[in-house]
């Protein structure tokens, strides 16, 4: 059996096992890279390690470490609380505030599941308290995360742009970012009116502090992976009085400055986001070393493993010639538009059950050979594949969908699960087609 076929079968096995068993896809990919790379492709372990995405791993570690600190010292809660006060408590604006805040968090570097884990409990508490559809609020959070998730300094954005540049394809990071943002914004607008947003217009409540959010059973909700302690900000008094506002602390001010510094140094001065983020995180940790001693454990190590493993195996795929092999077969169909549509659906369907980040990389690499022919807009296809592979994260089988389902309050869980499942089914069926129709067919990118 040829190395190309072996690597394809290994790839299918990785996705199948990760879908049906709770095993990290990255770990499976590392095993496949080692076994297939050495036995079938003829690579040495040093050759395989050459494909390890060190820069991307550093970015993931630095960014998630920084946001763990920002979460623990209450800076993220401060941002959300301030955003709600800005709209004066208008109920109809609250879903949009949640969309905006989550989009900003992912746009400046937070991982999508981390941003959803931080904002979803707060958003769904608002939904329960003020009669807002929990499905509307939960999906606004997820689509916000996906909308901001392709900025040039975000994990999705860095992943896509690095793959595109390394593949020698035309690169347009701004188009990828704005394409994903506007597409998710359009979906959010439709959801707002379909799921009862019109009834919220004109309603107003007192803008309340959001330092912490509590479930109905009284358990304090923290962001994903929060370190143990008396509260997100480490304040026992807030734990007893969750609605009591408090002055902005020096540490929070420093954290806000740090986040701005990261964005400026990465965007304006083009410094490596990983090194910048981990530098700012360590500086912040120095001001309160004891409080943040557990922040390292909050780094998304499972995501690091996932991305590192999958991209290392993708390197083996490239070395085996699999990408060219599949590309030649796809090009043989002779219909570039059809090929792009099929890849969009592959990315969407698989991502509903597996990692969007991993699927995006594979889908784009599979598209490289026929995109190099120049018969179709490479930028348009990259945007379409990026959107199609991420909007399906509303699925209850994905991390984001599961977080929304788990944090819903005062609802029939079975009914809510069926609602999310039905909506995600619609997205899987319609989403990739719309992404293809908007970004690929017109050829305007």
């Amino acid at each position: 059996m040829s190395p190309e076929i072996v690597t394809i079968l290994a790839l299918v096995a990785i996705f199948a096992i990760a879908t049906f068993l709770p095993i990290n896809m990255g770990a499976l990919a590392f095993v496949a890279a080692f076994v297939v790379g050495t036995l079938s492709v003829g690579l040495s372990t040093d050759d395989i390690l050459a494909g390890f995405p060190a820069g991307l791993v550093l970015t993931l570690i630095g960014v998630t470490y920084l946001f763990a600190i920002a979460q623990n010292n209450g800076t993220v809660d401060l941002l959300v609380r301030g955003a709600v006060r800005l709209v004066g408590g208008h109920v109809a604006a609250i879903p949009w505030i949640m969309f905006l805040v989550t989009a900003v968090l992912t746009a400046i570097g937070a991982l999508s599941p981390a941003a959803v884990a931080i904002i979803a409990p707060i958003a769904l508490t608002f939904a329960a308290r003020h009669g807002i559809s929990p499905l509307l609020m939960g999906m606004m959070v997820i689509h916000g995360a996906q909308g901001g998730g392709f900025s040039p300094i975000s994990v999705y954005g860095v992943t896509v742009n690095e793959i595109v540049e390394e593949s020698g394809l035309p690169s347009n990071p701004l188009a990828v970012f704005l394409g994903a943002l506007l597409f998710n914004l359009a979906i959010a607008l439709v959801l707002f009116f379909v799921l009862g947003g019109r009834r919220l217009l004109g309603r107003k409540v007192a803008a309340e502090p959001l330092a912490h959010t509590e479930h109905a059973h009284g358990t304090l909700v923290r962001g994903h992976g929060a370190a143990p302690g008396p509260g997100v900000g480490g304040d026992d008094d807030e734990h007893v009085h969750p609605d009591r506002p408090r002055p902005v602390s020096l540490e929070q001010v420093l954290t806000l400055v740090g986040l701005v510094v990261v964005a400026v140094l990465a965007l304006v001065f083009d410094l490596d986001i990983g090194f910048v983020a981990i530098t700012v995180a360590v500086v912040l940790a120095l001001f309160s070393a004891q409080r943040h001693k557990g922040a390292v454990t909050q780094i998304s190590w499972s995501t690091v493993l996932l991305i590192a493993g999958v991209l290392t195996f993708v390197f083996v795929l490239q070395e085996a010639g699999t990408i060219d092999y599949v590309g030649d077969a796809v090009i043989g169909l002779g219909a570039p538009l059809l090929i792009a549509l099929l890849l969009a659906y592959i990315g969407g369907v698989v991502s509903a059950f597996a990692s969007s980040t991993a699927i995006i990389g594979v889908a784009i690499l599979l598209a490289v050979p026929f995109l190099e022919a120049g018969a179709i807009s490479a930028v348009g296809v990259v945007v379409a594949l990026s959107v199609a592979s991420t909007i399906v994260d509303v699925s209850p089988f994905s991390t984001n969908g599961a977080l929304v389902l788990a944090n819903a309050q005062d609802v029939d869980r079975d009914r809510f699960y069926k609602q999310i499942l039905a909506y995600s089914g619609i997205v899987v069926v319609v989403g990739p087609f719309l992404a293809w129709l908007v970004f690929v067919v017109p050829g305007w990118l």
Side-chain angles (χ1 to χ4, degrees), residues 146 156 306 351-352 354-361 389-393 398:
Q146 304 309 84
Y156 283 161
L306 167 70
S351 292
S355 163
S356 297
T357 308
I359 296 302
I360 293 171
S389 299
T390 53
I391 57 170
V392 295
D393 281 356
S398 72

Side-chain angles (χ1 to χ4, degrees), residues 297-384:
T297 64
Q298 294 171 244
I299 293 173
S300 297
W301 294 112
S302 62
T303 302
V304 172
L305 174 60
L306 167 70
I307 294 176
V310 169
L311 291 185
T312 300
F313 182 70
V314 165
F315 174 78
V316 174
L317 284 173
Q318 292 174 304
E319 292 297 301
T322 307
I323 305 300
D324 292 334
Y325 176 82
V326 173
D328 291 340
V330 171
I331 291 174
L333 294 175
L337 285 176
L338 177 60
I339 296 168
L341 179 61
L342 291 175
L343 288 176
Y345 269 105
I346 291 172
V349 171
V350 177
S351 292
F353 299 91
S355 163
S356 297
T357 308
I359 296 302
I360 293 171
V362 173
I364 293 175
L365 285 169
L366 290 176
V368 169
F370 88 89
L371 290 179
E372 288 177 338
I376 191 172
S377 168
V379 174
V381 172
V382 169
V383 175

Side-chain angles (χ1 to χ4, degrees), residues 65-87:
Y65 184 31
L66 175 59
F67 270 86
I69 291 175
Q71 177 186 330
N72 290 347
N73 65 24
T75 302
V76 172
D77 275 340
L78 178 67
L79 291 171
V80 175
R81 188 166 66 244
V84 172
R85 285 175 174 171
L86 283 176
V87 299

Side-chain angles (χ1 to χ4, degrees), residues 125-311:
T125 297
F126 269 119
R129 191 175 301 174
H130 301 303
I132 304 173
S133 164
L135 182 62
L136 168 62
M137 194 68 99
M139 296 307 104
M140 291 290 272
V141 170
I142 295 178
H143 284 299
Q146 304 309 84
F150 284 92
S151 80
I153 63 171
S154 68
V155 174
Y156 283 161
V158 169
T159 301
V160 169
N161 295 326
E162 281 190 359
I163 291 174
V164 169
E165 290 176 4
E166 290 175 2
S167 302
L169 295 175
S171 177
N172 192 333
L174 185 60
V176 174
F177 175 41
L178 293 180
L181 177 60
L182 294 176
F183 195 91
N184 281 277
L185 184 61
I187 294 178
L189 186 62
V190 172
L191 285 176
F192 181 79
F193 287 102
V194 170
L195 297 178
R198 186 175 301 176
R199 295 195 302 270
L200 304 178
L201 298 173
R203 287 179 51 191
K204 188 176 180 180
V205 296
E208 55 190 316
L210 294 175
H212 297 293
T213 304
E214 296 190 17
H215 279 302
H217 61 270
T219 302
L220 181 65
V221 176
R222 295 188 178 94
H224 180 64
V232 173
D235 191 331
D236 283 326
D237 187 55
E238 275 196 332
H239 185 64
V240 178
H241 305 287
D243 289 335
R244 177 187 298 175
R246 70 172 184 176
V248 178
S249 68
L250 174 61
E251 188 176 1
Q252 290 170 338
V253 172
L254 292 175
T255 304
L256 290 172
V257 172
L259 294 176
V260 172
V261 168
V262 169
V264 170
L265 292 180
L267 288 174
V268 179
F269 295 95
D270 199 29
L271 295 181
D272 184 88
I273 179 67
F275 277 116
V276 172
I278 202 168
T279 300
V280 171
V282 169
V283 171
L284 291 173
L286 289 174
F287 285 91
S288 187
Q290 282 300 114
R291 171 182 291 183
H292 300 306
K293 63 182 180 181
V296 172
T297 64
Q298 294 171 244
I299 293 173
S300 297
W301 294 112
S302 62
T303 302
V304 172
L305 174 60
L306 167 70
I307 294 176
V310 169
L311 291 185

